[in-house]
Amino acid sequence: MQNTYAIGIDVGGTNTDMGLVRDDATIVARRSIPTTNYTQLEPYVHDIMEQIESMVAAGDNDKGVEHISLGELTGIGIGAPNGNFYTGCVEWAPNLPIKGLLKFEEEFHKYVDCPVVLSNDANAAAYGEYVYGGARWMEHFIMITLGTGVGSGIVVDGKLVHGHTGTAGELGHNILIPGGRQCSCGRKGCLEAYTSARGIVQTYVELRQQKGTPAEAAQHSDWIGAEVPDKEISSKMIGDAANAGDPLAVETYAQVGEWLGLACANACTFSAPQAIFLMGGPTKVGAPLLEPLKRSFEKNLLNIYKGKCDILMSQLKANEVAILGAAALVRLRK
Amino acid sequence: MQNTYAIGIDVGGTNTDMGLVRDDATIVARRSIPTTNYTQLEPYVHDIMEQIESMVAAGDNDKGVEHISLGELTGIGIGAPNGNFYTGCVEWAPNLPIKGLLKFEEEFHKYVDCPVVLSNDANAAAYGEYVYGGARWMEHFIMITLGTGVGSGIVVDGKLVHGHTGTAGELGHNILIPGGRQCSCGRKGCLEAYTSARGIVQTYVELRQQKGTPAEAAQHSDWIGAEVPDKEISSKMIGDAANAGDPLAVETYAQVGEWLGLACANACTFSAPQAIFLMGGPTKVGAPLLEPLKRSFEKNLLNIYKGKCDILMSQLKANEVAILGAAALVRLRK
């Protein structure tokens, strides 16, 4: 059978990454342009299209395909902050240099006739897992992405949940601890305030204020020493220290796991998923996060869901998920 | 155009109510048998079928239809505790006298060829609202039912969310206050522990222990006096007292509204519904619940959902919703 090809575009605040994706989940070619160079949509899409044309013109060497015409593409999928699936627009994304209501779908249709499908980046990651990754035979699952923020994509009956507004699936802003920590959204106690990279650092810093750096830290080059100022601490540094046995770092991730496990258990009461997938920098720490997370999940899970939902790591590579997820969106129909 | 007819069956722990439902949401006939008379599924379904046959044989006087054959029914819908949509079974429902794994769909198919569709009662209520009630043009909404317990039904893209297990939509067991009140499910802090009829009474009793009965209560026959023992207090009594101005009762419902508003705001982060519907005894109190609920909802709602989700009361009559909801399930296809 002949292969098919889609374009996946990941719109980031700094760079816009794109790839030509073969239906067997191979990124045949990839390009990048600096998003920061643009303040208007027209030249931005124009330059993205130039890159797309160069990728399709180069074809697919692995398969001996010398050239793919634009007309052969199954579609262009775009993962973008505040991307609205229903309208095909990016709506006032705070961290993009191009401001306002951006009619992405309409602008791309000046160049191509194929479907142009837009959603936010966490939804794209979820759908990438469904089309290309570990959720390929799952009709009900949830993806939670940990990073600067906490995002999520929810798949029900094999479809992404976009809701009435087109912006469903914001589990990072589920209020986990009423009256709890200040969140960047202006409210208090959101999951994001506890389990984003920033939330993880905050937990470490709070614990260190309470308990002080352990005296043994000086003998362990991979623990976080008292001389490291709060501002220089990253979630990755805490993760490395946790894996080296630094008790404050271990306790930090134990708390993060406790919170995330509760959030996962709560998510089950909504859509009873077959699995909850995790991805993003802070999940790479491994056992110091996952073990307490799974304990908390089991403890907080309603009886009828016990043994019926797995906590899994994304099976897509960190440097491919954004492009694959965006390309996967092409399979969604409105 | 000719009318169509479905059967709706509400399986309760005490009685089993059923009705012949015309597609314009009219219950043409209704019957009831005592569930408590049965310990086996076969005679139970046999006796239900006798009632169904008598209803269809009597036809629909309003429309001059003298007789409806079983073969003309669009289907039989069943709302039952622990009813599993996928399997057509009731699975170990604790409050039914018939125990075990009950193959409802299979048993009914000994008598009829039409679709037999099973779900739990809160899901049925939600789908009743979609087919016959206030959600008729909504593709995304949530129904929350307050009563002895707290149930929910979630509609996404016009379909009930049943999840991987067939038992999705248990928002009553979303943990709202981690480490909070003991819930009947064995865990702590569930929505149900705060907003079920029992939870409402508990809040009143706790407030009375802290603050004592107001001295003016003796002059108000419709307030709850100090002489009423805790055990005799019902959520309805608190509701009536709240509407008569009893400050403890008002404060009770204000707290219940605060919790329920938070739960509704959290639900929006999942499915971004167009509306959240409420039904059940404790909602009938009206303003003392709804005003604080709406304030809490607005306060706790993530910015992107503001002004996009309404809190509404079910538009179906309390004594019809169970039968209409069950009949509506017939429109669902697996």
Side-chain angles (χ1 to χ4, degrees):
Chain A
M1 216 177 86
Q2 218 184 333
N3 286 105
T4 61
Y5 298 87
I7 298 291
I9 304 173
D10 174 40
V11 177
T14 309
N15 289 305
T16 296
D17 298 323
M18 62 203 96
L20 175 65
V21 177
R22 200 201 293 148
D23 54 5
D24 63 358
T26 306
I27 301 177
V28 172
R30 50 196 301 168
R31 300 283 191 278
S32 186
I33 63 171
T35 316
T36 44
N37 280 4
Y38 302 89
T39 56
Q40 297 293 324
L41 185 64
E42 294 75 8
Y44 174 64
V45 171
H46 174 271
D47 291 0
I48 289 173
M49 281 305 308
E50 264 187 7
Q51 301 299 326
I52 291 175
E53 282 164 17
S54 111
M55 287 190 287
V56 301
D60 179 357
N61 285 333
D62 291 354
K63 294 278 173 176
V65 177
E66 286 180 10
H67 174 269
I68 302 155
S69 76
L70 280 182
E72 282 172 283
L73 291 174
T74 55
I76 296 175
I78 305 166
N82 295 27
N84 187 318
F85 175 70
Y86 297 132
T87 62
C89 295
V90 167
E91 301 177 344
W92 295 275
N95 64 342
L96 288 189
I98 316 174
K99 300 298 180 194
L101 179 76
L102 310 177
K103 300 181 176 176
F104 267 70
E105 183 180 346
E106 190 179 301
E107 192 60 29
F108 274 95
H109 275 153
K110 292 181 183 168
Y111 300 89
V112 293
D113 291 327
C114 61
V116 176
V117 185
L118 201 76
S119 195
N120 76 37
D121 37 2
N123 282 340
Y127 216 63
E129 205 69 37
Y130 181 65
V131 172
Y132 301 117
R136 261 173 298 171
W137 293 273
M138 295 185 185
E139 294 302 290
H140 296 270
F141 70 95
I142 294 175
M143 169 67 74
I144 297 180
T145 64
L146 303 187
T148 312
V150 174
S152 69
I154 301 167
V155 170
V156 163
D157 284 323
K159 286 176 68 180
L160 271 171
V161 177
H162 283 103
H164 176 58
T165 60
T167 54
E170 287 291 350
L171 299 189
H173 296 288
N174 209 291
I175 294 175
L176 194 71
I177 315 280
R181 263 190 202 169
Q182 186 63 47
C183 183
S184 61
C185 72
R187 300 174 313 146
K188 285 186 174 175
C190 295
L191 177 63
E192 177 166 306
Y194 295 92
T195 64
S196 64
R198 217 184 98 206
I200 293 168
V201 171
Q202 185 176 344
T203 298
Y204 179 87
V205 167
E206 286 175 6
L207 281 173
R208 187 160 78 161
Q209 277 165 2
Q210 284 165 32
K211 306 191 170 188
T213 303
E216 314 92 289
Q219 293 134 48
H220 293 270
S221 62
D222 34 18
W223 292 18
I224 300 172
E227 75 287 359
V228 184
D230 291 351
K231 279 186 187 170
E232 287 176 16
I233 294 172
S234 67
S235 62
K236 175 159 191 328
M237 202 186 288
I238 304 168
D240 292 343
N243 275 311
D246 180 336
L248 273 191
V250 168
E251 190 173 345
T252 298
Y253 270 99
Q255 287 198 7
V256 173
E258 174 80 27
W259 287 314
L260 194 54
L262 170 60
C264 289
N266 272 349
C268 287
T269 66
F270 187 82
S271 67
Q274 184 172 358
I276 297 175
F277 287 86
L278 302 173
M279 59 165 276
T283 66
K284 287 180 196 154
V285 60
L289 173 66
L290 293 179
E291 287 175 9
L293 191 167
K294 288 183 180 179
R295 274 197 301 276
S296 165
F297 179 63
E298 283 304 315
K299 183 183 76 183
N300 289 305
L301 196 61
L302 185 63
N303 249 335
I304 56 172
Y305 303 123
K306 282 199 196 292
K308 294 179 179 170
C309 177
D310 296 318
I311 304 288
L312 300 173
M313 298 301 294
S314 166
Q315 285 186 15
L316 299 180
K317 289 180 194 151
N319 65 345
E320 295 195 341
V321 61
I323 287 174
L324 289 177
L329 293 173
V330 166
R331 311 260 185 119
L332 273 173
R333 285 292 171 275
K334 290 182 193 182
Chain B
M1 217 177 88
Q2 221 185 328
N3 286 103
T4 61
Y5 297 87
I7 297 291
I9 304 173
D10 173 41
V11 176
T14 310
N15 289 304
T16 297
D17 298 323
M18 63 202 93
L20 175 65
V21 177
R22 196 164 63 206
D23 54 6
D24 64 357
T26 306
I27 302 177
V28 173
R30 50 194 303 168
R31 301 282 192 279
S32 186
I33 64 171
T35 317
T36 44
N37 280 5
Y38 303 88
T39 56
Q40 296 293 323
L41 185 64
E42 293 75 7
Y44 174 64
V45 172
H46 174 272
D47 291 0
I48 291 173
M49 281 305 308
E50 265 187 6
Q51 300 298 327
I52 292 176
E53 282 164 18
S54 110
M55 287 191 286
V56 301
D60 179 356
N61 284 333
D62 290 354
K63 294 278 174 175
V65 177
E66 287 181 7
H67 173 270
I68 301 155
S69 76
L70 281 181
E72 282 173 282
L73 290 174
T74 54
I76 296 176
I78 305 166
N82 295 27
N84 187 317
F85 175 71
Y86 297 132
T87 63
C89 296
V90 167
E91 301 176 343
W92 295 275
N95 64 343
L96 288 188
I98 316 175
K99 300 299 179 192
L101 180 75
L102 310 177
K103 299 180 176 177
F104 266 70
E105 183 180 346
E106 190 178 301
E107 192 60 29
F108 274 95
H109 275 152
K110 293 181 183 168
Y111 300 90
V112 292
D113 292 326
C114 62
V116 176
V117 185
L118 201 74
S119 195
N120 77 37
D121 36 2
N123 282 341
Y127 216 62
E129 205 70 35
Y130 182 64
V131 172
Y132 301 116
R136 262 174 297 172
W137 293 273
M138 295 185 186
E139 295 302 289
H140 296 272
F141 70 94
I142 294 175
M143 168 68 74
I144 297 179
T145 64
L146 303 187
T148 312
V150 173
S152 68
I154 300 165
V155 171
V156 163
D157 282 324
K159 287 176 66 180
L160 271 171
V161 178
H162 282 103
H164 176 58
T165 60
T167 54
E170 287 290 351
L171 298 189
H173 295 287
N174 209 292
I175 294 176
L176 193 71
I177 315 281
R181 263 189 202 170
Q182 186 62 46
C183 182
S184 61
C185 73
R187 300 174 313 145
K188 285 185 172 175
C190 296
L191 178 63
E192 177 166 306
Y194 296 92
T195 63
S196 63
R198 216 183 98 205
I200 294 167
V201 171
Q202 184 176 342
T203 299
Y204 179 86
V205 167
E206 286 174 6
L207 282 172
R208 186 160 80 162
Q209 277 165 2
Q210 285 165 32
K211 307 191 169 187
T213 305
E216 314 91 287
Q219 292 133 48
H220 293 272
S221 62
D222 35 17
W223 292 18
I224 300 172
E227 75 287 359
V228 183
D230 291 350
K231 279 187 187 167
E232 287 176 17
I233 295 172
S234 68
S235 63
K236 173 155 191 333
M237 203 185 288
I238 304 168
D240 292 344
N243 275 311
D246 180 336
L248 275 190
V250 168
E251 190 173 344
T252 298
Y253 270 100
Q255 288 199 6
V256 172
E258 174 79 27
W259 287 315
L260 194 54
L262 170 59
C264 289
N266 271 348
C268 286
T269 67
F270 276 89
S271 67
Q274 185 171 358
I276 297 175
F277 287 86
L278 302 172
M279 58 164 276
T283 65
K284 288 181 195 153
V285 61
L289 173 66
L290 293 179
E291 288 176 7
L293 190 167
K294 287 183 181 179
R295 274 198 300 276
S296 164
F297 179 64
E298 283 305 313
K299 183 183 74 183
N300 289 305
L301 196 61
L302 184 63
N303 248 335
I304 56 171
Y305 304 124
K306 283 200 196 291
K308 294 179 180 172
C309 177
D310 296 318
I311 303 287
L312 300 173
M313 298 301 294
S314 166
Q315 285 187 14
L316 300 180
K317 290 180 194 151
N319 65 346
E320 295 195 340
V321 61
I323 287 174
L324 289 177
L329 293 173
V330 167
R331 310 260 185 119
L332 274 173
R333 286 291 172 273
K334 291 181 192 182

